[in-house]
Amino acid sequence: MASDRPFLISSPQTRRVVEDLPTIPIYTDLAKSGSENPKLASAMDSNNPLGNSANTEPTLNTYFQRSNSSIKSRASRGNSVREVSFDNSGSKPPRHGSRGAESDGFSMSQKELSDEDARLIYINDPGKSNERYEFAGNTIRTGKYSILTFLPRNLFEQFHRLAYIYFLVIAILNQLPQLAVFGRTASILPLAFVLLVTAIKDAYEDWRRHRSDRVENNRTALVLGDEGFHEKEWKNIRVGEIIKITANDTLPCDIVLLSTSDPTGVAYVQTINLDGESNLKTRYARQETILRMSQNERMSGLIKSEKPNRNIYGFQANMEIDGKRLSLGPSNIVLRGCEIKNTAWAIGVAVYCGRETKAMLNSSGAPSKRSRLESHMNTETVYLSGFLISLCTIVSVLAAVWLRRHRHELDYLPFYRRKSYVDEDDPKDYKYYGWGLEIVFTFLMSVIVFQIMIPISLYISMELVRIGQAYFMIQDNKLYDEASHSRFQCRALNINEDLGQVKYVFSDKTGTLTENKMEFQCASIWGVDYSGGTTCIPGDGYSAKVDGHVWRPKMMVKVDPELERLSKIGKQTEEGKHIHDFFLALAACNTIVPMVVETSDPDVWLIDYQGESPDEQALVYAAAAYGFMLLERTSGHIVIDIHGERQRFDVLGLHEFDSDRKRMSVILGCPDNTVKVFVKGADTSMFSVIDKFSNMNIIRATEGHLHNFSSRGLRTLVVGMRDLNSSEFDQWKLAFENASTALIGRAALLRKIASRIENDLTVLGASGIEDKLQQGVPEAIESLRMAGIKVWLLTGDKQETAISIGYSSKLLTGNMTQIIINNKSKESCKKSLEDSIVTSKKLMTQSGVAQNPEGTSGTAGTPVALIIDGTSLVYILDGELEEQLFQLARGCSVVLCCRVAPLQKAGIVALIKKRTEDMTLAIGDGANDVSMIQMADVGIGISGQEGRQAVMASDFAMGQFRFLVPLLLVHGHWNYQRMGYMILYNFYRNAVLVFVLFWYILYTCYTATSAISDWSSVLYSVVYTSVPTIVVAILDKDLSSRTLLKHPPLYGSGQREECYNQKLFWITMVDTVWQSVVIFFVPLLAYWRSTIDGPGIGDLWTLGVVISVNIHLAMDVMRWTWITHAAIWGSIVATVICIFIIDAIPILPTYWAIFNMMGTGLFWLCLLGIIVGTVLPRFVVKVLYQYFFPSDIQIAREAEKFGYSRELGGGGGGGGGMQIEMNPILEPQQRLNR
């Protein structure tokens, strides 16, 4: 549904500068009283015509437009571009824009509200309103828990992790007397510790939510009572109550406006708390309610509204008052969290309160996504579970054999006494349950003993590491945007490592690659191109004198001297008349609100043009620079200073921009008693309504200039106009009034009426606006390309603009062959795709790429660029042709999709995501990028000029596109490398201890006992080995940021999954088995014939494992800091201290064991043997492998270490520089590791 906003808005914040200017009547009927002329309004889409007030002027509709755009190309076009175009004419193209709210199929005005779908709200009667329906109160609660529900709900949420359930089962089994291997308390501690830490974190976060809720609920607002308005806490406000909001106040609930301080019922609203947009929006009250409130009558009536929903841009309701039924729309409702600006007060009735408000229904966090590395980790977890089951099965089978073989000796064996001889006459079984149950119990006890094979500490370690990584990303000054004073935001902590594996980047253009700060560059007026070229000079700045003050535009605009001279001639010549009408259209055909800003010079004031669209602001500033300065906008007229002469124009109506028409128009009553329609819009929509039977030369010249502007990367708009006679205006007015009061099909009817008046136009000209590239975009794209990342551009702009941006951003190069697909039917799309695939293969074959195992184009010859428009994608993304598009696109170096709708952007991302295992990243800045951002594996929002919708839907947010390079190439690489190593190391360190326990069981008659004390088993993953892992995973760096940025191909290690794959997992497991053999058998053989007890040799095994795994970690550390030293060596010291404390407690079975062991030289010799036996083989293999099979990372590290970084990659200079041949980035099916 198109916006249902007012059509003429007052500007209470703008100084009145024309009180002395008389209102010039347009026609005799327009000058009559309001009773005879009840509704003078004109808009594209409104649910609410103006009321029957006699002295009430119509209200002006705000509008938002994102026009076809691009920016000026700075790329050199010296090389010829080969272009293969597939442009088949077919049937009439369907509409392929965003099928948003204004679509007929989705318009809420298309249907009547039924009783089942509506709720009844009695105005100023909250008791009756809530009597039947029991609407939600206005108390909000963002907290998840209460005191009573915290424990059960938090535990329920935590146990969604299956690993936690596994450890809970282990702890429960250990409580059974038959299966008790460890102490009952000790077996619960690891799980309890993890649950407690997470619960404390959740409780603190929820406490902060509750504290915020209390502050919010206890705020006060003015509510109408029996004796007038009185203060009432927000939490006590109910649906149906009348509320008064003053300037700069925040709304406590969703209200339907009844009256405002403006006589026309207009209120200015800032929605920054709702959608992040700081621009002012207009909302208005119905004239019928304004009259009632102004007469101080007790307001009563009935509102029949739709049920609460999340659509913040839509609202459907009807109001019954004084027996009259009125329609309400989005322009009549102000939502909770919005602020009233530049309006003294506003009065409204509460329709949605508390959790039913649209703001609360939309209060969801960042989307939940799962790391690719964590998904792969589950596979290895299954393997470890298989290991665990295998070990337990081996133990239970061997125990069964042993029991059967020694069944006659079990009664007398001192360590396995089957009979209890307390009663010698009738001995009974002593903890013996029969051969079958003993085997089952042995299996279950083995599970308990080997439980740490699945590392419970890994999960909490990963969370802590991600928090640390996020901290360093946020604090990185290379990701700090000085222009907006914003730092990098990490909104989803669970996918940090995915940043190191990205293969595809899908980018929006406007506001993402460009600044979205528009600057007027040139114009074509009546067939004459006033580009100016190098003759354009900064203007001195046009100014106007108002009330003794000099008013100047806040923003300076470059002007063309010749055009400036001609604009001063006025309408004396034919050429001057067209120039006059052109700039009048730029100044008037908009919804800009001029605001006056004082300066240090009291005689000079600046005009700040405020509006929702940067395009409109640029055009109004341009008109002011050429002497057409908009000074005032009120509810019924505008005042423009035209070269020193202030003229008042009655704004009789405005048709808002929508995605179907792609244009807007304003109907002006001019000082010369004429009525004119000024229209501006996209060229594709404007030339269809131009009168082509006249001025064909002008039209052709304008089309040529538009093509030239687009090729330069400029955003273009076409401007036209025509005169309206009295009968045409009357017909339009009557038709509009009937359409705007319709309850069914209102949006479609209003569109139809707008299209009727926007016809047979005379083309005035076209404008060219530059949206400059952001700083560092070309260099960033080049770095991403060198890193093996494919960048696809998805934009709603026209093809020429997209191509121009492609060149200026270095996305397209002169040696690329362009394949262009523009089709208007499914059959032609199919043929174009087939021909394109053949052409692409032929080009790759000719250039030798067909033999390239990587399957990518351009590495050995001519690269290919695919350019496709949204109309073609309508048919291709329908399902049948998707596979062909995928086959074509994956072989192209670059893909540009132009004229695409938001859902088509998401469809393109899904095309790659569903057919490959490659990591996808989407980056954008506007609401139209949200679907794409949420579809991609990694979504990044740019906090730019188009609000914060993209940021709120993203996983990460930053200020500039160029920050993508350090984010991916540096932090992404580090995060992936660290996290991959940490996961493998956690598997390794726990498996070493498990295998040591396994070997011990084999030498103790398979009784599932353990020589390692219960407390050491518990502290192993918590104290002995956890801290070094976390510290290294946060601080370690395999390469410096300078090296990673200088040599982007190093990023390919993450794409090739070099740091974490199944090959590395199995190598780690083999090394684990070897180290466990050394750790177990060296002390066993050394003390074979000694009288040492189990606890003593158990302490030796504990120290051997801890020292070995920490030295193993130390061997792999690449960047040492004092914190790393303290963590690794401190953990060994902490282990020794803990063992001392445990063995010093008399009641424990390990009492004084370590002290007896340390007194002999054999103990220290065993420790030395363990260290040498575990570390030396790994060290030798590592040295040999890195020497004979060095990776890119290893070579870069050596070059960095020995000062060869200046020669790394074969830079210029003298001969003999070190050359690095980077490994190819293979397609998924060709990867050996996974």
Side-chain angles (χ1 to χ4, degrees):
M1 179 172 63
S3 175
D4 296 297
R5 304 184 217 172
F7 308 128
L8 297 176
I9 55 175
S10 62
S11 180
Q13 73 273 31
T14 308
R15 295 180 180 271
R16 304 282 297 190
V17 296
V18 289
E19 285 80 354
D20 55 336
L21 296 180
T23 302
I24 302 174
I26 307 304
Y27 297 109
T28 55
D29 63 329
L30 300 182
K32 294 179 182 179
S33 67
S35 58
E36 299 178 28
N37 232 348
K39 298 170 186 172
L40 292 180
S42 59
M44 175 44 224
D45 187 10
S46 173
N47 292 344
N48 298 278
L50 296 176
N52 295 328
S53 175
N55 299 317
T56 302
E57 294 178 294
T59 49
L60 177 68
N61 189 7
T62 60
Y63 114 103
F64 178 80
Q65 172 184 359
R66 188 171 178 181
S67 63
N68 305 320
S69 62
S70 187
I71 66 167
K72 185 176 180 179
S73 170
R74 305 184 197 128
S76 174
R77 306 268 184 108
N79 297 326
S80 61
V81 179
R82 285 172 285 179
E83 183 174 302
V84 183
S85 179
F86 298 93
D87 188 356
N88 301 321
S89 61
S91 60
K92 182 179 179 181
R95 185 183 64 198
H96 54 277
S98 175
R99 295 178 181 262
E102 67 279 342
S103 172
D104 292 347
F106 292 82
S107 176
M108 290 298 294
S109 64
Q110 296 278 335
K111 59 182 181 180
E112 180 74 55
L113 276 173
S114 64
D115 292 337
E116 295 79 9
D117 298 330
R119 52 196 250 154
L120 302 181
I121 300 154
Y122 295 90
I123 301 176
N124 203 25
D125 193 347
K128 190 174 181 180
S129 298
N130 292 272
E131 180 181 22
R132 175 181 174 185
Y133 295 98
E134 297 183 0
F135 298 136
N138 203 40
T139 300
I140 65 165
R141 179 181 173 185
T142 59
K144 295 170 59 177
Y145 313 106
S146 67
I147 296 178
L148 295 178
T149 63
F150 175 78
L151 186 61
R153 185 173 179 181
N154 185 262
L155 289 176
F156 176 77
E157 291 178 352
Q158 290 199 59
F159 277 103
H160 274 69
R161 279 182 167 169
L162 295 180
Y164 288 8
I165 297 178
Y166 162 79
F167 286 105
L168 178 63
V169 172
I170 296 296
I172 293 174
L173 291 176
N174 200 69
Q175 304 307 306
L176 301 177
Q178 297 89 345
L179 304 178
V181 177
F182 302 116
R184 296 181 178 179
T185 303
S187 64
I188 298 175
L189 282 182
L191 179 62
F193 175 77
V194 174
L195 294 175
L196 179 63
V197 170
T198 306
I200 292 174
K201 176 182 71 72
D202 293 342
Y204 174 71
E205 292 177 351
D206 204 59
W207 173 78
R208 294 179 61 185
R209 296 190 194 101
H210 281 289
R211 182 180 62 179
S212 176
D213 291 345
R214 283 194 298 272
V215 173
E216 190 82 356
N217 290 327
N218 291 328
R219 296 173 69 175
T220 59
L222 295 175
V223 178
L224 183 62
D226 295 334
E227 300 179 357
F229 288 99
H230 64 278
E231 287 193 351
K232 192 173 186 179
E233 291 182 338
W234 280 19
K235 62 185 178 183
N236 297 323
I237 294 175
R238 296 191 296 168
V239 171
E241 289 186 316
I242 294 179
I243 302 168
K244 184 176 183 179
I245 307 297
T246 56
N248 300 319
D249 280 352
T250 302
L251 270 76
C253 56
D254 296 351
I255 67 171
V256 167
L257 284 179
L258 300 176
S259 181
T260 71
S261 57
D262 187 88
T264 61
V266 175
Y268 290 88
V269 177
Q270 189 177 71
T271 60
I272 191 169
N273 293 329
L274 194 63
D275 58 13
E277 295 185 3
S278 59
N279 298 311
L280 299 182
K281 299 176 177 61
T282 54
R283 299 292 183 266
Y284 73 103
R286 290 302 304 253
Q287 294 298 318
E288 291 81 358
T289 61
I290 294 174
L291 290 174
R292 293 288 297 273
M293 296 299 296
S294 63
Q295 296 171 7
N296 295 322
E297 297 182 11
R298 189 152 187 93
M299 188 74 181
S300 63
L302 174 65
I303 295 177
K304 184 179 181 181
S305 73
E306 61 186 356
K307 291 182 178 179
N309 58 72
R310 296 183 178 182
N311 184 8
I312 64 175
Y313 302 108
F315 176 67
Q316 182 191 12
N318 300 317
M319 178 189 294
E320 295 180 6
I321 183 170
D322 295 335
K324 186 176 181 180
R325 192 177 187 185
L326 311 173
S327 60
L328 301 175
S331 58
N332 305 118
I333 188 172
V334 187
L335 306 182
R336 179 188 179 113
C338 298
E339 295 182 5
I340 298 294
K341 296 289 185 181
N342 301 317
T343 305
W345 53 263
I347 297 175
V349 57
V351 291
Y352 302 121
C353 287
R355 65 176 182 273
E356 294 179 343
T357 59
K358 293 181 182 291
M360 292 303 297
L361 291 174
N362 281 277
S363 60
S364 59
S368 178
K369 296 180 181 178
R370 193 177 187 183
S371 163
R372 180 75 57 83
L373 203 61
E374 189 171 348
S375 299
H376 290 339
M377 185 184 76
N378 288 339
T379 304
E380 278 69 50
T381 303
V382 172
Y383 293 152
L384 291 177
S385 301
F387 267 127
L388 177 65
I389 295 173
S390 300
L391 296 180
C392 295
T393 301
I394 292 172
V395 171
S396 59
V397 169
L398 294 177
V401 174
W402 188 90
L403 287 173
R404 179 63 67 184
R405 182 176 298 174
H406 297 82
R407 61 183 179 277
H408 301 299
E409 307 170 23
L410 296 179
D411 295 348
Y412 310 104
L413 290 176
F415 58 88
Y416 204 103
R417 190 177 61 179
R418 182 170 61 180
K419 295 292 184 180
S420 173
Y421 290 93
V422 176
D423 185 357
E424 296 183 0
D425 297 330
D426 185 19
K428 298 180 180 179
D429 286 348
Y430 176 75
K431 292 184 179 180
Y432 185 80
Y433 305 94
W435 184 75
L437 284 179
E438 286 293 319
I439 297 172
V440 174
F441 289 157
T442 300
F443 181 89
L444 294 178
M445 286 190 292
S446 300
V447 172
I448 297 173
V449 173
F450 302 149
Q451 60 177 301
I452 62 171
M453 178 69 82
I454 311 296
I456 188 174
S457 61
L458 175 59
Y459 293 96
I460 192 170
S461 297
M462 291 175 68
E463 296 300 326
L464 295 175
V465 167
R466 284 165 175 162
I467 292 173
Q469 292 173 348
Y471 171 79
F472 285 109
M473 288 191 289
I474 293 170
Q475 296 300 319
D476 189 352
N477 290 329
K478 293 180 181 178
L479 302 179
Y480 176 75
D481 184 22
E482 295 182 356
S484 60
H485 302 289
S486 60
R487 288 196 174 274
F488 178 82
Q489 298 179 42
C490 187
R491 299 173 53 82
L493 287 174
N494 55 335
I495 59 172
N496 291 352
E497 55 270 25
D498 282 352
L499 294 171
Q501 295 182 280
V502 173
K503 179 69 174 179
Y504 287 89
V505 169
F506 301 90
S507 175
D508 177 43
K509 182 190 73 66
T510 305
T512 303
L513 298 182
T514 64
E515 294 180 349
N516 200 20
K517 295 180 180 179
M518 311 307 168
E519 183 176 323
F520 183 86
Q521 290 295 320
C522 55
S524 167
I525 304 176
W526 202 246
V528 180
D529 184 0
Y530 294 98
S531 296
T534 57
T535 63
C536 284
I537 59 173
D540 295 332
Y542 181 82
S543 61
K545 290 189 177 181
V546 180
D547 297 336
H549 299 279
V550 177
W551 287 19
R552 298 182 184 275
K554 185 179 179 180
M555 189 176 75
M556 303 295 291
V557 178
K558 292 181 180 180
V559 298
D560 181 274
E562 178 63 15
L563 182 57
E564 184 181 28
R565 183 187 66 81
L566 293 174
S567 67
K568 295 177 181 179
I569 297 177
K571 296 187 285 186
Q572 300 175 5
T573 64
E574 186 73 12
E575 186 179 33
K577 179 179 181 301
H578 296 309
I579 293 175
H580 176 278
D581 289 340
F582 178 82
F583 284 114
L584 177 60
L586 297 189
C589 191
N590 55 71
T591 57
I592 292 294
V593 178
M595 297 184 65
V596 178
V597 181
E598 296 183 358
T599 65
S600 57
D601 186 347
D603 296 328
V604 178
W605 289 355
L606 298 180
I607 300 182
D608 182 11
Y609 292 122
Q610 292 246 335
E612 295 182 49
S613 168
D615 298 85
E616 282 195 339
Q617 291 175 304
L619 294 176
V620 175
Y621 276 117
Y626 283 98
F628 292 73
M629 182 182 291
L630 177 64
L631 298 180
E632 179 185 0
R633 183 182 300 278
T634 68
S635 58
H637 67 267
I638 58 175
V639 176
I640 301 176
D641 183 287
I642 302 178
H643 291 291
E645 179 184 356
R646 275 178 288 173
Q647 297 186 21
R648 168 173 167 161
F649 297 85
D650 291 315
V651 180
L652 306 177
L654 185 146
H655 292 279
E656 187 182 2
F657 175 89
D658 66 71
S659 62
D660 286 337
R661 291 165 38 250
K662 293 185 176 63
R663 55 182 179 267
M664 70 166 294
S665 59
V666 62
I667 303 175
L668 293 183
C670 301
D672 59 358
N673 293 350
T674 61
V675 175
K676 296 181 179 180
V677 180
F678 291 95
V679 187
K680 70 178 181 182
D683 55 350
T684 54
S685 65
M686 286 295 293
F687 283 120
S688 63
V689 296
I690 294 292
D691 182 7
K692 295 186 178 180
F693 294 101
S694 61
N695 304 316
M696 283 303 299
N697 294 332
I698 302 298
I699 295 175
R700 281 193 290 267
T702 303
E703 288 178 332
H705 297 157
L706 280 170
H707 182 78
N708 181 40
F709 294 169
S710 297
S711 299
R712 293 166 52 189
L714 301 181
R715 302 166 69 94
T716 58
L717 284 176
V718 176
V719 181
M721 64 158 290
R722 78 179 179 99
D723 294 327
L724 285 182
N725 56 41
S726 178
S727 61
E728 287 178 321
F729 179 80
D730 289 339
Q731 291 175 6
W732 168 83
K733 182 181 68 174
L734 180 62
F736 169 76
E737 290 173 355
N738 293 333
S740 61
T741 56
L743 297 177
I744 300 177
R746 180 169 55 248
L749 290 173
L750 288 171
R751 267 193 293 272
K752 186 176 181 181
I753 293 168
S755 299
R756 289 177 183 173
I757 202 168
E758 297 169 345
N759 253 316
D760 300 326
L761 302 177
T762 299
V763 63
L764 292 176
S767 63
I769 302 174
E770 181 179 14
D771 186 8
K772 293 184 177 179
L773 278 179
Q774 292 181 9
Q775 178 185 353
V777 166
E779 294 80 5
I781 290 179
E782 182 65 21
S783 294
L784 295 175
R785 193 199 307 276
M786 293 175 62
I789 300 173
K790 293 185 177 182
V791 182
W792 290 18
L793 180 63
L794 313 180
T795 177
D797 293 328
K798 64 180 66 175
Q799 182 173 294
E800 296 86 353
T801 303
I803 293 175
S804 177
I805 286 294
Y807 278 108
S808 59
S809 63
K810 293 187 178 180
L811 198 59
L812 295 176
T813 58
N815 64 335
M816 285 185 177
T817 298
Q818 297 178 7
I819 296 179
I820 300 177
I821 299 179
N822 296 324
N823 302 113
K824 296 179 175 61
S825 68
K826 187 173 183 178
E827 293 73 20
S828 59
C829 281
K830 183 176 181 180
K831 185 177 185 304
S832 294
L833 285 174
E834 292 172 351
D835 295 343
S836 299
I837 292 174
V838 172
T839 302
S840 177
K841 290 181 178 179
K842 185 183 298 183
L843 289 169
M844 289 189 290
T845 302
Q846 292 173 352
S847 59
V849 183
Q851 286 75 35
N852 187 352
E854 290 85 59
T856 57
S857 66
T859 56
T862 305
V864 179
L866 172 63
I867 301 169
I868 187 170
D869 69 345
T871 309
S872 303
L873 290 174
V874 169
Y875 304 105
I876 294 174
L877 296 180
D878 196 25
E880 297 180 11
L881 302 178
E882 280 190 0
E883 185 61 31
Q884 290 178 281
L885 176 61
F886 170 73
Q887 294 298 332
L888 173 62
R890 72 177 307 192
C892 297
S893 299
V894 177
V895 176
L896 268 69
C897 300
C898 49
R899 297 289 197 190
V900 290
L903 291 180
Q904 289 178 328
K905 291 184 177 183
I908 293 295
V909 177
L911 182 75
I912 298 298
K913 186 177 178 182
K914 293 177 181 178
R915 288 171 171 79
T916 70
E917 294 183 0
D918 294 323
M919 191 74 65
T920 58
L921 181 149
I923 181 171
D925 73 315
N928 60 335
D929 301 317
V930 169
S931 298
M932 173 179 70
I933 288 173
Q934 292 181 334
M935 175 60 68
D937 295 304
V938 179
I940 297 182
I942 298 290
S943 50
Q945 305 292 318
E946 296 188 27
R948 293 180 54 84
Q949 296 97 323
V951 170
M952 291 187 290
S954 66
D955 306 306
F956 305 96
M958 56 190 186
Q960 297 282 325
F961 179 86
R962 71 177 188 273
F963 297 159
L964 202 59
V965 174
L967 178 64
L968 298 184
L969 272 58
V970 179
H971 290 286
H973 173 84
W974 285 342
N975 292 346
Y976 169 73
Q977 179 266 329
R978 295 162 174 169
M979 189 64 73
Y981 179 81
M982 189 193 77
I983 294 173
L984 287 174
Y985 178 80
N986 272 267
F987 289 157
Y988 148 78
R989 75 173 189 190
N990 283 33
V992 167
L993 183 61
V994 168
F995 278 111
V996 169
L997 297 174
F998 174 72
W999 304 132
Y1000 180 78
I1001 288 177
L1002 298 184
Y1003 282 84
T1004 54
C1005 299
Y1006 322 106
T1007 53
T1009 57
S1010 174
I1012 297 177
S1013 66
D1014 298 349
W1015 286 104
S1016 289
S1017 298
V1018 171
L1019 297 176
Y1020 178 76
S1021 297
V1022 178
V1023 176
Y1024 296 173
T1025 58
S1026 62
V1027 176
T1029 313
I1030 296 172
V1031 170
V1032 171
I1034 295 176
L1035 299 180
D1036 198 28
K1037 299 177 182 179
D1038 57 351
L1039 289 168
S1040 67
S1041 60
R1042 178 174 175 269
T1043 300
L1044 291 170
L1045 291 174
K1046 185 176 181 181
H1047 307 287
L1050 294 171
Y1051 182 79
S1053 62
Q1055 297 170 331
R1056 294 188 294 270
E1057 299 180 349
E1058 291 183 357
C1059 296
Y1060 185 86
N1061 52 65
Q1062 288 188 12
K1063 179 181 177 181
L1064 282 178
F1065 172 78
W1066 291 114
I1067 292 175
T1068 302
M1069 289 299 103
V1070 171
D1071 188 28
T1072 298
V1073 173
W1074 164 253
Q1075 292 192 33
S1076 68
V1077 169
V1078 173
I1079 294 171
F1080 177 80
F1081 284 100
V1082 167
L1084 180 68
L1085 296 176
Y1087 289 96
W1088 184 257
R1089 296 187 180 277
S1090 68
T1091 58
I1092 189 174
D1093 58 359
I1097 197 170
D1099 288 341
L1100 178 55
W1101 281 327
T1102 301
L1103 286 174
V1105 171
V1106 172
I1107 295 175
S1108 295
V1109 298
N1110 276 286
I1111 292 180
H1112 176 110
L1113 178 63
M1115 285 177 54
D1116 293 333
V1117 172
M1118 299 175 232
R1119 193 66 55 98
W1120 284 92
T1121 64
W1122 69 268
I1123 300 177
T1124 310
H1125 280 289
I1128 294 177
W1129 313 124
S1131 292
I1132 296 176
V1133 173
T1135 301
V1136 174
I1137 294 174
C1138 288
I1139 293 177
F1140 283 174
I1141 294 174
I1142 293 171
D1143 286 6
I1145 300 176
I1147 62 175
L1148 295 180
T1150 59
Y1151 179 65
W1152 220 250
I1154 187 66
F1155 302 104
N1156 294 330
M1157 292 284 294
M1158 293 177 64
T1160 64
L1162 186 59
F1163 171 85
W1164 300 103
L1165 186 62
C1166 285
L1167 270 184
L1168 179 62
I1170 289 173
I1171 295 173
V1172 173
T1174 56
V1175 173
L1176 186 60
R1178 174 178 174 80
F1179 177 77
V1180 172
V1181 172
K1182 186 175 182 179
V1183 169
L1184 293 176
Y1185 184 81
Q1186 291 184 354
Y1187 183 82
F1188 291 103
F1189 308 100
S1191 65
D1192 296 342
I1193 302 299
Q1194 180 60 30
I1195 296 173
R1197 284 186 61 211
E1198 293 180 6
E1200 188 177 77
K1201 180 178 180 180
F1202 296 105
Y1204 295 150
S1205 57
R1206 64 184 181 277
E1207 300 172 352
L1208 190 62
M1218 181 178 292
Q1219 301 281 340
I1220 292 185
E1221 181 180 349
M1222 296 297 179
N1223 291 319
I1225 301 173
L1226 303 179
E1227 296 300 326
Q1229 66 270 20
Q1230 296 166 324
R1231 294 174 185 163
L1232 299 178
N1233 297 337
R1234 183 175 296 277

